[in-house]
Amino acid sequence: MAATPAHPASDNAPHVPATPLHDLMYGHIYASALRAVVLHGIADHLADGPLSAGELAARSGTQAGPLHRVLRLLAMRGLFRTDPDGAFGLTEGSEALRTGVPGSRRDAVLLFTDAMYGRSAAGLEDTLRTGEPGFEAAYGTPFFEHLAGTPDAGRLFDTAMSSLTGGVNEQIAGSYVFPDGGTVVDVAGGRGGLLRAVLSRSPGLTGVLFDRPGTVTDHLLDTAELAGRWRTEGGDLFTAVPEGGDLYLLKNILHDWPDEDCLRILATVRRAMTPGTRLLVIDAVLPADGSPHPAVPLDIVMLMVLRGRERTAAEFEELLTRSGFMVRRVLPTPSLTSVVEAEAV
């Protein structure tokens, strides 16, 4: 009879690490697991310290076994940590999944793991053949028209964009020397996060937040510090934008659109400006040599959902030159984006 081993069998031998192909193959599984824990508020339940899967399950209305397995998967990517006693705790990454904390990415996770993006991604096979966005094939309408006609989707998009750009707005505002006086017009500026950061840094400036009427209604500018220094205006950036500004901003707008629509937007902005007025195009600027850049995945989102693209500095310069602008310089920021400074000629 074989001797009984002194200790239970275990498999602690090193294994072949997952390859990039393996990680890509399972990408949708990680995204689905991430969405599930956000929807069940797992990070919020861990705010006061680590909990076992059983304790988490009781608090979140989930099943301990499946929850343990999902958290174990996400812990492999550093999104949660596992204590020696088996309890799960927060890491820097999962802190950003909490509701209402500075730098929260909860709404952004819910947006980019939403069925809108999943169905669009599933259409990439056809997009490669037709060049048409998977979103339009799935929903039968352009993305922004869908948002305008679907209030819940529109609100999710707006809150996700605000969550993604909170700290980024401060980085952008600190990377460019804004004038001490005058009026800055934030064109399609969403809820006004960038404009708020700019006005906070430059007390002599006043500002105009321009976007869809439903978006500017939910603005972020009503603070004591900025009292009397801003106004909002609703409208269509393809038709007209507020005139008389001393500086115009277009942040993360041109990458949403193909070249012909970018030219229409820039022509509208140029009509509102006098010669010598500055325009800041704030977008990712891809390297001309094709080297890696963190905005390359975002370029595929544009391909799936919209008809836009991320561009190189030369591509931005061509659009701006054709629209009556002269590019003065391109300034990097600590964020994903750069500042392309142009002047109306």
Side-chain angles (χ1 to χ4, degrees):
M1 180 180 294
T4 301
H7 301 285
S10 63
D11 182 8
N12 293 321
H15 293 274
V16 176
T19 65
L21 175 60
H22 182 277
D23 281 347
L24 289 170
M25 207 165 49
Y26 282 99
H28 65 289
I29 296 174
Y30 288 105
S32 297
L34 177 60
R35 181 177 181 83
V37 299
V38 169
L39 287 172
H40 286 290
I42 300 303
D44 290 328
H45 290 299
L46 291 173
D48 294 329
L51 295 170
S52 69
E55 292 169 320
L56 273 172
R59 296 188 185 193
S60 62
T62 59
Q63 297 292 315
L67 179 60
H68 179 273
R69 292 159 68 178
V70 167
L71 291 175
R72 179 175 61 188
L73 173 74
L74 296 175
M76 288 175 55
R77 289 294 179 267
L79 199 58
F80 294 92
R81 62 181 175 86
T82 309
D83 288 353
D85 62 359
F88 291 96
L90 295 176
T91 63
E92 182 179 353
S94 48
E95 282 280 357
L97 301 181
R98 291 176 55 196
T99 304
V101 297
S104 175
R105 296 293 184 265
R106 179 185 182 277
D107 290 330
V109 168
L110 291 179
L111 176 67
F112 287 107
T113 61
D114 187 82
M116 292 190 295
Y117 288 85
R119 293 177 65 185
S120 301
L124 268 175
E125 175 187 353
D126 290 331
T127 297
L128 291 180
R129 178 174 49 81
T130 66
E132 299 296 311
F135 182 90
E136 293 185 19
Y139 288 87
T141 186
F143 182 69
F144 287 117
E145 289 184 18
H146 175 78
L147 295 184
T150 312
D152 287 346
R155 281 190 293 271
L156 175 60
F157 181 82
D158 288 341
T159 56
M161 291 303 103
S162 293
S163 77
L164 280 172
T165 59
V168 171
N169 287 330
E170 296 294 338
Q171 293 171 335
I172 294 169
S175 297
Y176 183 83
V177 180
F178 286 86
D180 293 330
T183 299
V184 57
V185 180
D186 194 357
V187 177
R191 300 173 66 201
L194 175 59
L195 184 59
R196 182 176 65 180
V198 169
L199 295 181
S200 296
R201 282 178 169 268
S202 301
L205 275 177
T206 59
V208 180
L209 176 64
F210 176 81
D211 209 313
R212 296 168 294 166
T215 297
V216 297
T217 298
D218 192 27
H219 64 79
L220 304 171
L221 300 172
D222 196 8
T223 67
E225 177 189 14
L226 304 183
R229 295 175 50 207
W230 57 268
R231 66 180 174 87
T232 65
E233 186 173 328
D236 179 359
L237 81 166
F238 285 100
T239 304
V241 303
E243 298 181 353
D246 300 288
L247 180 68
Y248 285 75
L249 310 179
L250 274 174
K251 174 176 170 283
N252 292 346
I253 303 304
L254 296 187
H255 78 152
D256 287 340
W257 303 98
D259 287 357
E260 58 269 25
D261 286 328
C262 288
L263 292 172
R264 291 173 58 205
I265 292 168
L266 290 170
T268 303
V269 175
R270 178 62 186 85
R271 286 195 298 270
M273 301 168 67
T274 57
T277 304
R278 303 259 176 109
L279 167 67
L280 305 185
V281 173
I282 302 163
D283 254 319
V285 177
L286 298 182
D289 61 3
S291 55
H293 188 281
V296 170
L298 186 58
D299 183 56
I300 303 304
V301 173
M302 298 298 108
L303 182 66
M304 290 172 4
V305 176
L306 298 164
R307 295 175 181 268
R309 56 182 298 189
E310 305 305 324
R311 295 178 171 88
T312 65
E315 289 168 331
F316 277 116
E317 184 166 14
E318 180 180 0
L319 290 173
L320 287 159
T321 300
R322 291 175 61 185
S323 304
F325 294 92
M326 177 180 65
V327 173
R328 297 174 57 91
R329 54 181 172 161
V330 178
L331 297 172
T333 77
S335 72
L336 183 77
T337 56
S338 295
V339 177
V340 181
E341 182 187 48
E343 182 177 310
V345 294

